[in-house]
Amino acid sequence: MKQTPKLSLLLLFFCTMPLFSQFNVNNMSVEAGYGYCGAIEPYYKGYKSNFSSMNHFNIGIRYMFTETIGAKVSYKLDHFVNDPGGDLGITYNTLGVSGVYNIGKQLGLTYWTRDRIGVNAHVDAGVAFAYRIGQTDYERVGVVGIGISPMYNISNKFALTADFTHNITTKQHYGFDGQLLNEDYKPASGSFYNFSFGLIYYLGENRYHSDWY
């Protein structure tokens, strides 16, 4: 009879294991997108081109520490080139980190859409290795950005996503046309934006990801 309480607790533990296991969710995802890079400034406005086109690509790995807060490391390619011609411009290869906030969950959007539609907001910081067209040397440009990423859940492993990000550059010596901004090599700031569509793949052995649980 003295063993009965211990036995009861042991049986309760094994019976409730499935209940507790359903709260285990995946936290990591791989994300990739393709879209538009838009140069705002600086570049010489006398050109017939605005150095903006469908020349943006991004890929990243995101980890959610909680249901609403996470972080992301990413690589972005933005190719600013004149059209017609293609002989003037600059290419940004950007390595960055982001803080991610799931505002869709905070506002109850995922609940009201039955875990179909979500929204992440993010703040970015990184360094761009800027190569001018036809040149092998590069300069390092600081890039900070803020963006919003709607998501549409299509399965436990995949979701569609879109993203709009506004970026600010720091210590930029060459414009988006690839031309030197100041003869005295004085740096300047600039801005550009990205608009892309992509796919999210959820990593992990659990059934659900924290985006939708």
Side-chain angles (χ1 to χ4, degrees):
M1 294 296 294
K2 291 183 180 180
Q3 300 298 322
T4 302
K6 293 183 179 180
L7 180 61
S8 299
L9 289 174
L10 189 62
L11 290 174
L12 180 64
F13 173 76
F14 282 107
C15 289
T16 56
M17 277 186 65
L19 181 63
F20 284 103
S21 65
Q22 68 179 332
F23 292 98
N24 294 326
V25 294
N26 299 318
N27 299 305
M28 188 173 292
S29 61
V30 176
E31 307 173 5
Y34 172 78
Y36 190 84
C37 56
I40 300 176
E41 60 178 355
Y43 64 89
Y44 177 56
K45 305 301 181 180
Y47 291 119
K48 294 181 179 180
S49 173
N50 62 4
F51 296 89
S52 304
S53 60
M54 294 290 291
N55 278 308
H56 169 80
F57 170 76
N58 67 77
I59 187 168
I61 299 176
R62 174 166 57 93
Y63 185 87
M64 300 301 292
F65 302 106
T66 70
E67 289 187 0
T68 56
I69 298 174
K72 182 179 177 180
V73 294
S74 63
Y75 164 76
K76 298 180 181 180
L77 172 67
D78 291 286
H79 186 53
F80 303 96
V81 61
N82 66 315
D83 183 21
D87 54 349
L88 295 173
I90 199 165
T91 299
Y92 278 18
N93 294 275
T94 305
L95 300 176
V97 295
S98 306
V100 180
Y101 184 65
N102 192 326
I103 60 175
K105 281 205 171 182
Q106 189 65 41
L107 298 176
L109 181 61
T110 52
Y111 173 78
W112 292 110
T113 61
R114 297 177 180 268
D115 286 332
R116 283 299 177 187
I117 298 176
V119 180
N120 283 338
H122 57 90
V123 177
D124 312 330
V127 57
F129 299 87
Y131 292 84
R132 291 173 291 157
I133 290 179
Q135 304 292 324
T136 57
D137 60 327
Y138 65 89
E139 70 166 345
R140 288 185 291 269
V141 178
V143 181
V144 294
I146 183 170
I148 188 166
S149 303
M151 302 178 292
Y152 182 78
N153 186 20
I154 56 178
S155 74
N156 290 334
K157 282 295 184 181
F158 291 97
L160 300 176
T161 185
D163 181 79
F164 178 81
T165 302
H166 180 79
N167 304 282
I168 302 294
T169 63
T170 62
K171 294 185 177 181
Q172 183 175 347
H173 294 92
Y174 295 90
F176 294 110
D177 52 12
Q179 305 303 305
L180 186 65
L181 296 174
N182 299 291
E183 293 183 358
D184 59 357
Y185 206 67
K186 182 179 179 181
S189 61
S191 60
F192 67 98
Y193 65 91
N194 307 122
F195 183 73
S196 63
F197 292 94
L199 188 67
I200 301 172
Y201 175 68
Y202 295 114
L203 302 173
E205 298 180 354
N206 295 306
R207 183 175 182 181
Y208 300 107
H209 187 273
S210 62
D211 283 351
W212 310 107
Y213 184 80

